[in-house]
Amino acid sequence: MYLVTPDEPDTARLLARVAPLLGEGVAWLQYRNKAAGAGLRREQAAALQALCAPAGVPLLVNDDVALARAIGAAGVHLGEDDGDIATARAVLGPEAILGASCYDELELARRAVAAGASYVAFGAFFPTTTKATTRRASPALLRDAAGLGVARVAIGGISPENAGPLVAAGADLLAVIGGVFDAPDPVAAVRAYIRCFPSHERAPHPSGA
C-alpha cells in the first residue's frame, strides 16, 4: 500500500485523516498537494514527517527535491517533467527512496533505473479523476519491468476490486489517493487493498534491505 495524500488545505485535518491509516500496513506515504502554495506545502510536509517517523513509515515528497531535503523526508517522487533522478540522487544521497513516473513506457523506466531510481510507477491503469491523463498502462508492462530490479508501483483508478490482475502481473505496491480518502471508511479501505496481496507483508525496501 503506497498511500498518497489528497489536496487537503487544512493541515490539522490532513494529519487527522492520515494518522489512523499509518498503522494499518501502509508501506510508504507520499505527500502530494497540487493546490497548495510553497508555505503550506512546507508546513504540511514537515507535519507529516513528524507523524510518519515514529510510525516507521517512509515519507516521500511529490515533485520537490528541495522540500524533501529540507524536512528530512525519506525520498521524492518525480514526474516526467519534474526533475532529474540523477540530480535528486546526488542531493538526497544513496539511501533516499527515489521514484519516477513512467506512465505507459518501459523505456522511461529503464532510463530512470539507470539514473538511480529506487522504484518505477506505471499508470494510469484505469480511469481516474485525480489528474487528467491520456496514457493508459497495461498489466503486461508490470511483467515486462520485472528485470529492472526495482520495485514496481501501479497507479491510477485502482480499487480492491480491480487490483488483482496488477498484483498478479508483479505490482509490488498499489498507489492510491481517492480509493482510500474518499471511502466511507478509509481504514477498512486500506485493509481491503492490502488483502489484494497474497501475503500481507510490508513491501520490501527497494534496495532489497
Side-chain angles (χ1 to χ4, degrees):
M1 182 82 229
Y2 183 179
L3 189 60
V4 183
T5 62
D7 288 354
E8 170 58 68
D10 184 317
T11 301
R13 177 169 159 76
L14 176 64
L15 297 179
R17 296 176 74 182
V18 169
L21 309 177
L22 295 182
E24 296 297 332
V26 171
W28 297 337
L29 179 73
Q30 182 188 132
Y31 171 59
R32 178 186 187 275
N33 190 339
K34 293 290 189 179
L40 181 58
R41 287 201 306 271
R42 173 67 180 258
E43 172 190 311
Q44 292 188 335
L48 286 170
Q49 174 64 13
L51 189 69
C52 286
V57 177
L59 176 69
L60 310 183
V61 174
N62 185 68
D63 295 345
D64 195 331
V65 175
L67 179 56
R69 182 182 184 185
I71 66 159
V76 69
H77 180 88
L78 298 175
E80 188 175 19
D81 302 315
D82 297 312
D84 178 71
I85 288 288
T87 300
R89 176 62 70 199
V91 171
L92 297 178
E95 300 302 317
I97 302 172
L98 304 185
S101 292
C102 300
Y103 311 100
D104 58 349
E105 297 185 41
L106 185 61
E107 183 54 35
L108 277 180
R110 290 194 181 103
R111 293 202 298 266
V113 172
S118 311
Y119 71 88
V120 291
F122 296 107
F125 283 92
F126 305 102
T128 174
T129 58
T130 298
K131 63 186 293 186
T133 177
T134 58
R135 299 157 91 169
R136 187 61 50 83
S138 71
L141 190 57
L142 294 165
R143 289 191 290 270
D144 293 342
L148 296 178
V150 299
R152 292 159 289 171
V153 175
I155 192 168
I158 300 170
S159 70
E161 292 72 33
N162 64 25
L166 305 181
V167 174
D172 296 296
L173 298 106
L174 303 175
V176 180
I177 304 176
V180 168
F181 288 105
D182 293 342
D185 185 341
V187 169
V190 168
R191 292 173 180 171
Y193 279 104
I194 291 174
R195 285 197 298 270
C196 294
F197 291 88
S199 118
H200 302 169
E201 298 176 358
R202 289 168 65 93
H205 189 284
S207 69

